[in-house]
Amino acid sequence: MRNFSISPDLTPLYRSAIGFDRLAQLAEHAAANNGNNGYPPYNIELLGENRYRITMAVAGFSMTELDITSEGEKLLVKGSKANQKDERKYLHQGIAERGFERTFQLADHVKVIGAELENGLLNIDLEREIPEAMKARKIEITRARLISD
């Protein structure tokens, strides 16, 4: 059985919506991003109002075999397995030890603040830093002034 994927044509959105280019690009990216096949598995947690954590199961990878790059609004996590010198004979191999690349699209003002590897889990902490100019501010209401001629 074949799986047919139909990618949405978002051209009409580009013609009629101004300033939503990034949203359309995200939708196109999500529709086309089927190459990850769910490996390695990951969770995305909300830790607080503006704090997030990505947890990836990277069993068998050491710190030197993992690479995390944040560029603009993309977070790229790569795992490169070193070539093993000894030939192992597996009766069953359930732990995938293949390299991977996983890309996450970050929202505006979301920054990576740290990463740690513990017990085969890679934790990447993120935080949204909203600029002061974009934060909600209280507007004082004053009495109306009479304009005299």
Side-chain angles (χ1 to χ4, degrees):
M1 177 180 240
R2 286 187 169 170
N3 289 336
F4 292 101
S5 90
I6 300 172
S7 61
D9 181 16
L10 299 174
T11 307
L13 180 62
Y14 285 122
R15 287 194 303 251
S16 62
I18 297 165
F20 291 95
D21 311 2
R22 187 166 182 278
L23 180 62
Q25 288 170 349
L26 283 173
E28 284 179 345
H29 176 72
N33 194 15
N34 55 9
N36 284 331
N37 296 329
Y39 177 76
Y42 65 93
N43 294 334
I44 300 175
E45 298 175 70
L46 177 63
L47 300 177
E49 187 177 345
N50 290 312
R51 293 180 39 237
Y52 308 90
R53 174 175 286 160
I54 299 170
T55 302
M56 299 180 73
V58 291
F61 284 87
S62 67
M63 282 192 276
T64 59
E65 296 171 326
L66 296 169
D67 185 46
I68 303 170
T69 307
S70 176
E71 183 178 340
E73 293 165 347
K74 286 190 179 183
L75 172 65
L76 176 64
V77 182
K78 286 185 190 180
S80 303
K81 265 325 252 180
N83 291 335
Q84 298 209 1
K85 295 179 176 100
D86 60 332
E87 287 290 321
R88 294 182 181 183
K89 185 176 179 182
Y90 291 102
L91 297 178
H92 170 76
Q93 185 177 7
I95 300 173
E97 292 184 341
R98 63 182 184 268
F100 66 89
E101 282 190 19
R102 173 140 333 249
T103 303
F104 296 93
Q105 193 72 33
L106 302 178
D108 293 336
H109 313 294
V110 173
K111 306 292 181 222
V112 178
I113 57 172
E116 65 182 14
L117 180 64
E118 182 180 6
N119 298 326
L121 297 175
L122 175 64
N123 294 311
I124 304 168
D125 291 325
L126 308 147
E127 185 171 36
R128 182 187 323 238
E129 297 174 351
I130 302 171
E132 282 297 320
M134 296 183 73
K135 288 183 180 177
R137 61 185 177 99
K138 181 103 171 132
I139 307 298
E140 185 179 337
I141 301 171
T142 61
R143 293 184 160 259
R145 293 186 225 145
L146 295 174
I147 301 176
S148 59
D149 290 71

